[in-house]
Amino acid sequence: MATTYKVLGQSAPSATTNTTLYTVPAATSVVASTLVVANRGTSTTFRVAIRPAGATLADEHYIVYDASLNQYDSTFLTLGITLATTDVVTVYAGAATLSFSLFGSEIV
């Protein structure tokens, strides 16, 4: 098995839109180590969900829900979440001023 440490996904999503940040590729497992949320503007909220096997988004998938992020601030979430093939990380921004970056390891 080969392990690749990398930027798994980056996105600056539109406001109030669920957006796929990362989907685990076929024949791959992942350890998502750190998620950074950077606010480039006005104070707002954000959400993060993990959708097993690409399931339709539901309440049980949220790991962060409407967390506040002040103007021009960032938050660093140390996760250590394990993901399987076709699992999806979905993000949501209350305003179009957030940037999401997910870092981790792909294991093939």
Side-chain angles (χ1 to χ4, degrees):
M1 290 188 167
T3 301
T4 304
Y5 302 98
K6 63 189 288 184
V7 176
L8 298 172
Q10 293 184 309
S11 181
S14 300
T16 67
T17 303
N18 290 314
T19 303
T20 297
L21 179 61
Y22 178 74
T23 302
V24 180
T28 305
S29 296
V30 167
V31 177
S33 62
T34 303
L35 175 67
V36 179
V37 186
N39 189 351
R40 306 178 323 276
T42 186
S43 295
T44 190
T45 60
F46 69 96
R47 301 174 187 172
V48 181
I50 307 297
R51 299 187 293 128
T56 301
L57 187 61
D59 290 346
E60 63 267 21
H61 298 143
Y62 286 100
I63 60 172
V64 178
Y65 194 89
D66 283 350
S68 297
L69 192 56
N70 292 328
Q71 184 177 22
Y72 305 120
D73 201 1
S74 297
T75 190
F76 297 78
L77 304 174
T78 303
L79 303 169
I81 294 175
T82 55
L83 303 170
T85 297
T86 70
D87 287 354
V88 178
V89 178
T90 300
V91 295
Y92 172 100
T97 59
L98 297 184
S99 297
F100 294 84
S101 295
L102 182 63
F103 304 90
S105 308
E106 288 184 335
I107 304 153
V108 182

